Amino acid sequence: MTIAVGPHSYLRGNHASKKVVPEKRRGFLSRLMFYGGTNVLFLLILFIIDFANTPTGHDPAPYLVLLFALLSFPMFFIEEKKGPLMISVMAGPIFFLFFGASDFLSYLIDLPGRWKAPSASILIDAELAILAGLSFWLIGYVVAVAVFRRRSDKWLITDWRLRELVWFGLICVGLSLWSTWDILLTSGRWEKYVSQGATKDSLLVLARMLELPGAVLLSHAYLVSKSRILLVLILSIAAIKVPMGLMLNSKEIGFFFILIFITTKWLHDGKIPQRWAIIGISLVIFYVPLSYAYRATLGERHLSAAQGIGDFSSLFNKALTANQKTNDVISGIRATVGRVDFKSIVELIVSRVGKDVPYQDGHTLVELPLVFIPRLIMPDKPHIPVGQLFNRELHLSLNPDTYISTSFLGELYWNYSWLGVMLGMFLIGASLGVIGVISSLQNTLTVTRVLILASAAYLLVIKSETGIAQQYALFLRSTVLILVLHFIMRSRRVTQSGV
């Protein structure tokens, strides 16, 4: 395979590593002033919009100030953005989206369905739980980095050939698309999956898992080679997946590929790729309300996702028409923020668990120790869809199969109250700190390190809305697959300069 790099040169099977540019270091005082200045600016903006509004019930301004100060610390104060602390830097804006964006935007636009706490106290219990959990997450991360950091340059320092990387990425993506289509074509309804036998089920799940490494491999190959052919290929796959996500009634499928590309580029650059981030956010703001309209259209006709595929054109036009009647930028933002508002979920959990809803006492985490035991060996291996259980226990939806995510933090409180939040989030942060050390891109940029970092960032940070056991199972299995591929595909040692 020949991959163009610029107008006059070509790569024929070259290695997939590239030169690591040393990061510019800023002094302690410079970083402190930048961090402090950013927080003062946020405080000023918040003061202005808070002064201009009269919020109903509890005013979240003090909470937002503390949350921003905590989550902005890695991004604006820590040096070496591509070092072991990289995941903590990426987690900041994601956690703010989950736990702060709804409160912040509630000053500017109406957000129906948002929890409005009546408490007049400065910080309500849910806010204290979130701040405590995220603080312990960051402490655990930093402690793990401090303990393991000196060994970071001893692991995963061999790389793949670029040609093999591209071909394997294409195979992974192709298999994952086939498996996604096949699985969802057998759906009797949106939330239910019809088994096709243990062997085929296992193959389909394995093939589905390949999409994440496949997307990272192709993205990494483009970022190393700057091949226009690869960029067109990546954008084409992303474009195909947008209507495919609508057909299969899955928002994640719709914008997964572009999200992984942005994540991989962020890892390469050590900073948010602003232009791509704007494109991704625009896609999400347009896509989320449209997906809800399409789902409603399916529901009106009592169709499953599979049944709707045959009449997709008609259904899509009806959904688009319905969406255009109410859709604008504000409604798109409202729908998107409502989808990722996990502060309201935590408030619901804290207000009810231990009162009219019992603690789970580890029940939702029971799958974690059994992650590597296949169901063929253990047929009665427990499977606990946390979001569905949460919905049923709290009686939140008329449809008991509706999946309502709790977030890692909410699930930990649901199991063990405050102890679960503090100890559990510390351990989660520590596990990510170890991953950050092992896969640091500061001095050695290899595809295996990028694969592990991107998998951790996606499965354990971006997808930290879902069940803990489920996401760690996916990450651990993905890591084993990545390491097996690493030992098969590695071809030469990469020096600390990156080449």
Side-chain angles (χ1 to χ4, degrees):
M1 182 176 183
T2 301
I3 302 174
V5 186
H8 304 298
S9 59
Y10 294 86
L11 284 177
R12 299 180 183 273
N14 293 41
H15 289 84
S17 57
K18 70 175 183 180
K19 185 178 180 62
V20 176
V21 180
E23 297 182 61
K24 294 181 180 179
R25 293 182 176 273
R26 295 177 295 149
F28 174 83
L29 185 59
S30 173
R31 287 180 283 136
L32 182 62
M33 290 179 65
F34 184 58
Y35 171 70
T38 304
N39 278 268
V40 169
L41 178 61
F42 179 79
L43 180 61
L44 180 62
I45 294 171
L46 191 60
F47 175 79
I48 292 172
I49 60 176
D50 191 14
F51 183 77
N53 288 270
T54 305
T56 304
H58 172 68
D59 186 352
Y63 162 74
L64 286 172
V65 170
L66 294 173
L67 182 69
F68 187 84
L70 175 65
L71 297 179
S72 65
F73 180 78
M75 178 169 286
F76 296 126
F77 189 78
I78 292 176
E79 280 277 36
E80 303 170 355
K81 299 295 191 300
K82 294 173 68 174
L85 295 162
M86 179 70 194
I87 297 178
S88 70
V89 173
M90 299 179 74
I94 294 166
F95 286 159
F96 189 84
L97 177 66
F98 288 171
F99 299 110
S102 178
D103 276 341
F104 183 79
L105 290 175
S106 68
Y107 289 107
L108 306 174
I109 59 176
D110 181 41
L111 295 172
R114 176 177 163 271
W115 180 285
K116 293 183 173 65
S119 173
S121 60
I122 295 177
L123 293 173
I124 60 175
D125 288 345
E127 292 171 344
L128 288 170
I130 292 169
L131 291 171
L134 295 180
S135 296
F136 274 89
W137 183 95
L138 185 57
I139 292 169
Y141 193 110
V142 172
V143 168
V145 169
V147 171
F148 293 97
R149 184 166 192 163
R150 292 186 178 180
R151 304 176 185 179
S152 62
D153 292 327
K154 297 181 180 180
W155 298 307
L156 308 177
I157 55 177
T158 52
D159 212 0
W160 305 12
R161 293 186 181 278
L162 184 60
R163 179 176 56 191
E164 296 165 350
L165 185 156
V166 173
W167 276 114
F168 196 80
L170 289 171
I171 292 171
C172 286
V173 171
L175 287 173
S176 71
L177 291 176
W178 162 75
S179 68
T180 303
W181 191 264
D182 190 283
I183 288 173
L184 291 171
L185 279 179
T186 63
S187 297
R189 282 186 58 80
W190 309 316
E191 302 89 354
K192 295 181 179 179
Y193 167 67
V194 179
S195 175
Q196 301 183 63
T199 302
K200 187 173 182 182
D201 285 353
S202 299
L203 290 174
L204 288 170
V205 171
L206 176 62
R208 182 76 184 92
M209 284 175 54
L210 293 174
E211 182 170 23
L212 177 56
V216 175
L217 288 173
L218 293 179
S219 301
H220 176 76
Y222 162 70
L223 294 169
V224 169
S225 67
K226 300 300 181 184
S227 165
R228 294 178 182 176
I229 295 175
L230 281 177
L231 179 59
V232 170
L233 177 64
I234 290 167
L235 294 178
S236 299
I237 295 172
I240 290 170
K241 294 207 66 185
V242 171
M244 187 177 181
L246 282 177
M247 279 188 243
L248 302 178
N249 196 24
S250 170
K251 289 181 285 294
E252 181 182 3
I253 289 174
F255 46 77
F256 173 85
F257 218 86
I258 191 68
L259 180 60
I260 294 302
F261 175 78
I262 292 171
T263 301
T264 308
K265 184 164 175 54
W266 192 346
L267 291 170
H268 268 253
D269 297 346
K271 59 184 179 181
I272 299 176
Q274 295 180 5
R275 286 180 296 179
W276 286 106
I278 291 171
I279 292 172
I281 292 170
S282 301
L283 172 63
V284 170
I285 290 173
F286 168 77
Y287 188 86
V288 170
L290 180 60
S291 70
Y292 287 143
Y294 185 80
R295 177 182 296 182
T297 304
L298 285 175
E300 289 173 3
R301 300 191 184 184
H302 305 287
L303 299 174
S304 69
Q307 292 168 338
I309 291 173
D311 195 23
F312 175 72
S313 178
S314 173
L315 290 167
F316 176 77
N317 288 331
K318 184 176 180 180
L320 189 61
T321 301
N323 189 54
Q324 287 174 343
K325 292 179 180 178
T326 58
N327 188 41
D328 52 27
V329 174
I330 297 299
S331 63
I333 292 173
R334 186 181 288 119
T336 303
V337 171
R339 171 64 180 82
V340 295
D341 174 21
F342 294 106
K343 188 200 172 189
S344 290
I345 296 295
V346 174
E347 290 188 62
L348 182 62
I349 291 171
V350 172
S351 69
R352 294 190 58 184
V353 172
K355 300 177 181 67
D356 63 323
V357 176
Y359 289 102
Q360 288 295 301
D361 297 323
H363 174 64
T364 67
L365 306 172
V366 72
E367 291 182 71
L368 201 51
L370 309 174
V371 60
F372 291 116
I373 301 178
R375 201 166 291 277
L376 288 173
I377 297 176
M378 187 179 179
D380 59 344
K381 179 179 175 180
H383 172 64
I384 303 169
V386 177
Q388 290 179 344
L389 179 64
F390 177 65
N391 174 30
R392 293 164 187 167
E393 288 286 311
L394 277 73
H395 308 289
L396 300 176
S397 171
L398 293 175
N399 184 350
D401 291 323
T402 299
Y403 194 102
I404 300 177
S405 300
T406 61
S407 79
F408 283 6
L409 197 152
E411 184 183 349
L412 288 167
Y413 189 97
W414 188 23
N415 276 274
Y416 297 116
S417 188
W418 287 91
L419 178 62
V421 168
M422 293 185 287
L423 180 59
M425 292 299 284
F426 178 88
L427 293 174
I428 290 172
S431 69
L432 286 165
V434 173
I435 294 166
V437 169
I438 294 174
S439 306
S440 171
L441 305 180
Q442 183 178 357
N443 297 316
T444 307
L445 196 158
T446 66
V447 65
T448 306
R449 292 188 176 211
V450 173
L451 278 167
I452 293 175
L453 277 178
S455 298
Y458 181 73
L459 295 172
L460 304 181
V461 177
I462 297 173
K463 290 288 290 178
S464 62
E465 57 173 302
T466 319
I468 295 172
Q470 174 187 335
Q471 292 309 116
Y472 267 91
L474 288 172
F475 173 73
L476 291 171
R477 291 167 184 163
S478 296
T479 301
V480 169
L481 176 63
I482 291 167
L483 292 176
V484 169
L485 293 174
H486 169 75
F487 287 110
I488 293 174
M489 308 290 281
R490 61 181 179 170
S491 58
R492 69 155 192 175
R493 186 184 182 94
V494 177
T495 65
Q496 289 192 8
S497 63
V499 289

